[in-house]
Amino acid sequence: MTSSESTPAEAYVWIWLSGATEPVVAGRIEADGQRYVFNYGRSYLEHDNAIPIYLPELPLGRGSQPPPPGLQMASSLRDASPDAWGRRVIINRLTGLKGSAARSAEFDELTYMLESGSDRMGALDFQESPRDYVPRLAENATLDEMLTSAERVDLGVPLTPELDQALQHGSSIGGARPKALVQDEEKKYIAKFSATNDTYSVVKAEFIAMQLAKLAGIDVAPVKLTGASGKDVLLIERFDREATDTGWTRRAMVSALTMLGLDEMMARYASYRDLAEIVRARFTHPAATLRELFSRLTFNILVGNNDDHARNHAAFWDGVSLTLTPAYDICPQARTGREVNQAMLIYNGNKESRLSLCLEAAHNFLLSEEQAVNIVKKQVACIKKNWHTVCDNAELSEVDRNFFWRRQVLNRYAFQGSERYFGDLT
């Protein structure tokens, strides 16, 4: 079903400019049939520090800006809309539907924007008013509240709505990894929770992969592993927030899907080659960024993370240029067979999770074959050297270690076709 009751016709886009702890209104999104048209506000265009929400999508200027051809909404605006988990929570809250029943429910994009929390990734939020900014779910749960959640529930002390949904109802809502936003005095985190229907230690797997990535020299978001209400919890430090004496600043971000001019319906066309071309043309430090992007691709293959879709790559946006964010969402995925594909195309329309494809594509990243081979060899050596130590730190069971090793992590399919380079490592 699609909800049409009280469907909003417009929403106002608010933005945190560089260094600011309070937002200003940037413009308005308006429904136009099946599309959403954007207009910058006059006050924003006259603001001394105004930046385009993203170029080339939404250049500063007067008048209506329809979405690019083939899109219903400018992708940079869709980036700030809630993710799969956030949409599940909204559907549950507005309809009461859970699990598979909720899959028949759907709302328009403006409803998702106006019903979601205000502390979303990046520097945008959506409001009903162009004058008064009123944050929704303004308070993140504190680390203490999360860690003592079981005691609070026993004592009848209510949790924040977001934490309650993730901890108490995550499995019943279903459809995505339960998560919540938490903070302490100086840092904010995305907290990902284990679910009662997990068939393996998903949360610990992501912690292990992120730790191994850091040890392999990849720029990753800092992570911590803890527990709450009997569930494993992964805390991923947010790199788009910074605490100051006067409040929190926000950094503008866009996904690779936005950089590639695509949306979810077109995501199958996303390719590392096209993303590399954008890096060469528009990123700060392009050579180093290309090496980092290649390293993330090969590491994902080595640890069995094939969920490297274009919204799982992102860049900071300063109004002029792009800078790659730290890596996030590196998590070994369950696999049912020997062969598996990455989410983005690697080389010549092929996305098979094989290192040989990466070597063929190395020139797109301005790397020689020798340089590419050395990157992979160092990653493999790092994974082998640190596997048991990192698993020990995560207190991963022997059953789960055997589940991951040589199945997700260092699966032999990854080395198919490149044995002459890595035969002694497999």
Side-chain angles (χ1 to χ4, degrees), residues 43-64:
S43 63
Y44 185 72
L45 292 174
E46 294 173 351
H47 196 291
D48 290 340
N49 297 322
I51 64 170
I53 290 176
Y54 182 62
L55 292 176
E57 232 182 15
L58 295 172
L60 290 175
R62 296 181 183 273
S64 297

Side-chain angles (χ1 to χ4, degrees), residues 200-276:
Y200 63 96
S201 300
V202 179
V203 167
K204 288 184 176 181
E206 184 167 354
F207 171 80
I208 289 166
M210 292 284 282
Q211 290 293 90
L212 289 171
K214 179 181 178 181
L215 291 168
I218 293 172
D219 179 23
V220 298
V223 294
K224 296 192 291 187
L225 189 63
T226 185
S229 293
K231 298 177 183 289
D232 293 323
V233 183
L234 179 68
L235 294 174
I236 306 169
E237 186 178 321
R238 294 185 63 171
F239 43 72
D240 63 331
R241 297 291 187 267
E242 183 177 350
T244 70
D245 292 338
T246 56
W248 294 89
T249 64
R250 306 190 181 194
R251 294 191 69 176
M253 289 170 49
V254 292
S255 70
L257 203 62
T258 291
M259 294 179 246
L260 293 166
L262 304 173
D263 64 8
E264 273 74 13
M265 299 300 292
M266 304 175 184
R268 64 186 181 277
Y269 301 116
S271 75
Y272 280 99
R273 183 195 66 182
D274 292 342
L275 182 55

Side-chain angles (χ1 to χ4, degrees), residues 8 55 97 107 112 135 152 157 182 231 254 298 305 307 356 362 373-374 409:
L55 292 176
L97 297 174
F107 292 94
Y112 286 125
R152 290 169 179 260
V157 179
V182 299
K231 298 177 183 289
V254 292
T298 56
N305 174 39
D307 192 33
S356 59
V373 168
N374 286 337
V409 179

